[in-house]
């Protein structure tokens, strides 16, 4: 593996800014039509329409506000896979999430995200590592 172009880190930052602003078209603009969004618990979304629908509903119906801080981005190019990861460009990200839900409750936690880019620089795979316990607690009245 080697470092990749920093432009991929800018894409990650842009995505989080769009989500924070409720700009769902901006949030999904960098996704490939065949993208797969996978959560660490095994749940997944297949295709840009499913990803768009999920996050639009989540952002408008469940999340009142969301901000991201302490971002760390590492764009890498995997030349020789070590395990099951795909070769090519990956953006690894770590950040703190502060969300206020429509219930009035807040959730703060660190998250890790892996994004793989296809040959057209569109995101075709996302793996989000998140602890669902504080999210589920914030969603209950």
């Amino acid at each position: 593996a080697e470092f990749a172009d920093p432009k991929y880190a800018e894409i990650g930052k842009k995505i989080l800014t769009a989500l924070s602003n409720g700009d769902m078209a901006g949030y999904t603009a960098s996704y490939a039509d065949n993208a797969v969004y996978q959560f660490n618990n095994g749940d997944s979304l297949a295709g840009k329409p499913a990803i768009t629908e999920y996050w639009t509903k989540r952002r408008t119906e469940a999340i009142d506000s969301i901000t991201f801080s302490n971002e760390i981005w590492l764009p890498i190019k995997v030349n020789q896979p070590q395990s099951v990861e795909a070769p090519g460009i990956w953006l690894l990200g770590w950040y703190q999430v502060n969300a206020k839900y429509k219930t009035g409750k807040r959730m703060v936690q660190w998250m890790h995200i892996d994004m793989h880019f296809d040959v057209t620089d569109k995101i075709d795979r996302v793996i989000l590592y998140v602890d669902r316990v504080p999210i589920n607690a914030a969603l209950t009245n």
Side-chain angles (χ1 to χ4, degrees), residues 12 16 37 67-73 93-97 109-113 115 128:
L16 293 188
Y37 198 109
T67 58
F68 304 91
S69 60
N70 302 311
E71 299 171 35
I72 300 168
W73 297 101
W94 298 265
Y95 43 81
Q96 189 172 34
V97 180
Q109 71 170 296
W110 280 90
M111 292 187 188
H112 170 62
I113 193 165
M115 293 181 247
L128 181 65

Side-chain angles (χ1 to χ4, degrees), residues 37-75:
Y37 198 109
Q38 183 178 3
F39 298 89
N40 59 301
N41 67 354
D43 289 345
S44 64
L45 307 164
K48 185 175 179 175
I51 296 166
T52 302
E53 180 182 352
Y54 174 86
W55 281 107
T56 299
K57 185 175 180 177
R58 195 90 173 149
R59 185 61 181 89
T60 58
E61 295 178 15
I63 300 170
D64 188 45
S65 63
I66 188 167
T67 58
F68 304 91
S69 60
N70 302 311
E71 299 171 35
I72 300 168
W73 297 101
L74 178 61

Side-chain angles (χ1 to χ4, degrees), residues 3-136:
F3 292 114
D5 192 316
K7 73 180 182 180
Y8 296 101
E10 294 306 315
I11 293 171
K13 291 176 189 179
K14 186 172 100 175
I15 287 170
L16 293 188
T17 298
L19 184 60
S20 183
N21 292 336
D23 175 10
M24 301 318 296
Y27 175 74
T28 59
S30 296
Y31 284 87
D33 290 338
N34 65 342
V36 174
Y37 198 109
Q38 183 178 3
F39 298 89
N40 59 301
N41 67 354
D43 289 345
S44 64
L45 307 164
K48 185 175 179 175
I51 296 166
T52 302
E53 180 182 352
Y54 174 86
W55 281 107
T56 299
K57 185 175 180 177
R58 195 90 173 149
R59 185 61 181 89
T60 58
E61 295 178 15
I63 300 170
D64 188 45
S65 63
I66 188 167
T67 58
F68 304 91
S69 60
N70 302 311
E71 299 171 35
I72 300 168
W73 297 101
L74 178 61
I76 62 169
K77 180 180 178 193
V78 175
N79 298 310
Q80 181 67 39
Q82 302 293 307
S83 181
V84 297
E85 74 276 9
I89 303 296
W90 285 89
L91 177 61
L92 310 179
W94 298 265
Y95 43 81
Q96 189 172 34
V97 180
N98 187 328
K100 181 181 175 219
Y101 286 82
K102 301 283 185 185
T103 62
K105 295 181 180 178
R106 293 193 169 273
M107 181 279 307
V108 178
Q109 71 170 296
W110 280 90
M111 292 187 188
H112 170 62
I113 193 165
D114 299 333
M115 293 181 247
H116 183 266
F117 291 81
D118 67 15
V119 295
T120 65
D121 285 345
K122 293 288 186 181
I123 299 165
D124 62 1
R125 176 161 300 276
V126 172
I127 307 167
L128 181 65
Y129 301 88
V130 58
D131 182 354
R132 297 287 309 171
V133 172
I135 295 170
N136 291 340

